[in-house]
Amino acid sequence: MRECKERIIPIGMISDDNFIMPTCVAVTSMICNKDSKTRYVIHILMAECSEASKSKLEELNKLSDECKIKLIEVG
């Protein structure tokens, strides 16, 4: 049987302070339900977000070593 290689999937999202909770829920769900051979690189464009919102998203990096969340400030 052929061994399945690891897949890296890039994901793009955008959020602001009004949408930070649904963004955290979506990212958490992706991480908790992903295939074991899948790695995510999640790029989140942050439009007018507070430091508290950014901190919440950065905390999600601790959920899995197989996912990397990168925050990009825009606007």
Side-chain angles (χ1 to χ4, degrees):
M1 191 180 334
R2 200 167 117 178
E3 189 174 321
C4 183
K5 290 186 175 183
E6 183 179 82
R7 296 181 311 157
I8 298 174
I9 300 175
I11 298 169
M13 301 178 81
I14 188 165
S15 191
D16 63 14
D17 275 341
N18 296 317
F19 205 70
I20 203 68
M21 188 56 64
T23 302
C24 288
V25 170
V27 170
T28 301
S29 179
M30 284 188 283
I31 291 171
C32 291
N33 293 294
K34 73 173 193 56
D35 183 87
S36 63
K37 292 188 168 132
T38 300
R39 294 179 59 98
Y40 293 143
V41 178
I42 304 170
H43 301 272
I44 304 176
L45 301 178
M46 305 295 291
E48 301 177 13
C49 284
S50 66
E51 289 302 316
S53 293
K54 292 176 195 173
S55 181
K56 287 177 187 174
L57 287 167
E58 289 170 343
E59 280 288 313
L60 299 178
N61 274 315
K62 296 178 183 176
L63 291 178
S64 173
D65 291 335
E66 298 170 342
C67 297
K68 179 64 181 163
I69 299 168
K70 298 181 178 183
L71 305 179
I72 303 164
E73 292 187 50
V74 296

